[in-house]
Amino acid sequence: MSRMAHPLEDMRALIRGAPGADRAAVEAVRRRDCELTKPPGSLGRLEHLVEWLAAWQGRSPPDVRSPLVAVFAANHGVAAKGVSAYPADVTLQMVANFAAGGAAINQICLAEDIGLKVLELAIEVPTPDITEEDAFDEVGLVATMAFGMEAIAGGTDLLCIGEMGIGNTTVAAAIYHALYGGEASDWIGRGTGVDDAGLARKRAAVAAAVARIGGERDGLEILRRVGGREIAAMAGVILAARHQRIPVIVDGFVATSAAAVLHAVDDHAIDHCLIGHLSAEPAHAAVLARLGKKPLLDLGMRLGEGTGAALAASIVRAAARTHAGMATFAGAGVSGPSGGTH
């Protein structure tokens, strides 16, 4: 059968053929770190962040000059099942709010001098209700991932991903339930603040969606069948960033689902990703344990929009500047741990 008959195969090949870390850049960072005017290890996790940046930017010292938050917005047919505290119209209204500069992510990006792109994905045409139909056909999924890949066309050296979409914590929970099993209740939370009746509807929707796909375990097939456009686009841009040597900071519960489907295809596919923060959605910690990821921040946040990722980016940039700008023992004339300058 021709390759064109299997449009997901090219995407799987891109995932599995992604370049690895630049170990020479990491070693250069470590050598310089030993010469800096501080006790070894005294900057804790900041030192590891510099190594991570160097590994995936492929240079030492690494630098963050043009960080970018990319927010992907889409709507979901499952929202009609009453799984959110807000109506689906809010997605489009929030996109207008982003454009007007009135959202939380606008303020964080202004405060931290981070670029912001908001990308709409056919908001007026929600994906089908995943309790009844697949979210995409194969061609549609690949096209949506390809759209996401274009988000970094203008250039960036540190990408933060976020999302906006009423009903998308339900979709993300369905992805996790399909990937990791258990019960639907293991993966759901209150999202935008649903009451007990709304939480019961959400549990039922997640259970029905996953039951419908009959035990599917392939990451891209799960994304195709129970995913959403913003999640597919985020998966695409994570993949494109890897091939272009751009480190990625992933936001919270929903954004992590895009990373999770790539990880299910290849468990090294998200090595270039940092999880910006631990979401207040209760299942996020369980997801991160399966991905082997430790979030940088834990601030009790659950807004989305890339807010946690943007805050994490400010710390990553500070780590890079500290490493690059600090004097060495020899350069500053400071005695090293052996009593002499180095």
Side-chain angles (χ1 to χ4, degrees):
M1 189 175 289
S2 73
R3 200 177 186 185
M4 289 300 292
H6 299 285
L8 294 185
E9 284 307 308
D10 283 345
M11 202 60 74
R12 290 191 181 95
L14 278 175
I15 296 167
R16 292 173 177 145
D22 187 325
R23 296 300 174 193
V26 174
E27 288 305 314
V29 162
R30 289 174 178 167
R31 287 193 298 271
R32 175 172 168 76
D33 188 76
C34 290
E35 300 297 322
L36 298 179
T37 50
K38 63 177 182 64
S42 59
L43 285 176
R45 195 170 177 189
L46 294 187
E47 298 178 11
H48 298 293
L49 291 176
V50 178
E51 293 180 12
W52 168 76
L53 266 182
W56 299 107
Q57 287 184 344
R59 62 177 184 254
S60 176
D63 197 9
V64 180
R65 293 178 181 267
S66 55
L68 174 69
V69 174
V71 178
F72 297 88
N75 267 329
H76 305 270
V78 73
K81 289 287 198 294
V83 296
S84 174
Y86 291 85
D89 291 350
V90 168
T91 302
L92 187 57
Q93 292 163 3
M94 279 302 300
V95 167
N97 194 28
F98 296 142
I105 190 57
N106 297 98
Q107 315 320 313
I108 293 171
C109 287
L110 284 170
E112 302 299 334
D113 191 25
I114 299 173
L116 175 64
K117 283 185 181 179
V118 179
L119 301 105
E120 300 178 46
L121 293 113
I123 291 174
E124 71 285 355
V125 184
T127 45
D129 180 348
I130 59 170
T131 68
E132 300 171 3
E133 299 178 52
D134 293 339
F136 305 94
D137 59 20
E138 290 191 3
V139 172
L141 173 58
V142 170
T144 305
M145 293 180 71
F147 175 87
M149 290 176 170
E150 293 298 318
I152 50 175
T156 179
D157 50 21
L158 179 64
L159 174 68
C160 304
I161 60 166
E163 43 59 44
M164 176 64 215
I166 296 301
N168 66 10
T169 59
T170 299
V171 172
I175 290 172
Y176 297 137
H177 184 24
L179 285 173
Y180 305 131
E183 302 296 329
S185 56
D186 297 335
W187 306 106
I188 62 166
R190 294 193 182 270
T192 51
V194 292
D195 59 15
D196 288 347
L199 193 65
R201 292 190 294 270
K202 191 172 188 177
R203 184 186 308 111
V206 169
V210 174
R212 183 183 61 78
I213 68 172
E216 179 64 62
R217 286 291 183 268
D218 178 82
L220 291 185
E221 271 296 302
I222 288 170
L223 178 59
R224 183 183 76 78
R225 302 195 69 185
V226 299
R229 291 193 187 102
E230 77 277 55
I231 296 171
M234 287 189 291
V237 79
I238 291 171
L239 178 56
R242 176 66 168 267
H243 282 271
Q244 295 183 40
R245 290 211 163 275
I246 300 168
V248 177
I249 304 181
V250 178
D251 197 41
F253 182 77
V254 177
T256 301
S257 70
V261 295
L262 298 176
H263 182 267
V265 176
D266 185 316
D267 58 10
H268 292 291
I270 58 170
D271 287 356
H272 65 305
C273 294
L274 172 73
I275 305 299
H277 76 118
L278 179 67
S279 172
E281 281 289 287
H284 196 215
V287 172
L288 297 186
R290 285 165 171 79
L291 298 179
K293 294 289 189 180
K294 180 181 178 182
L296 185 56
L297 302 172
D298 182 359
L299 300 174
M301 296 169 63
R302 55 179 177 84
L303 177 61
E305 302 179 8
T307 48
L311 290 171
S314 68
I315 295 174
V316 171
R317 181 158 55 182
R321 288 185 177 178
T322 301
H323 175 84
M326 279 185 74
T328 63
F329 285 110
V334 174
S335 296
S338 62
T341 56
H342 287 233

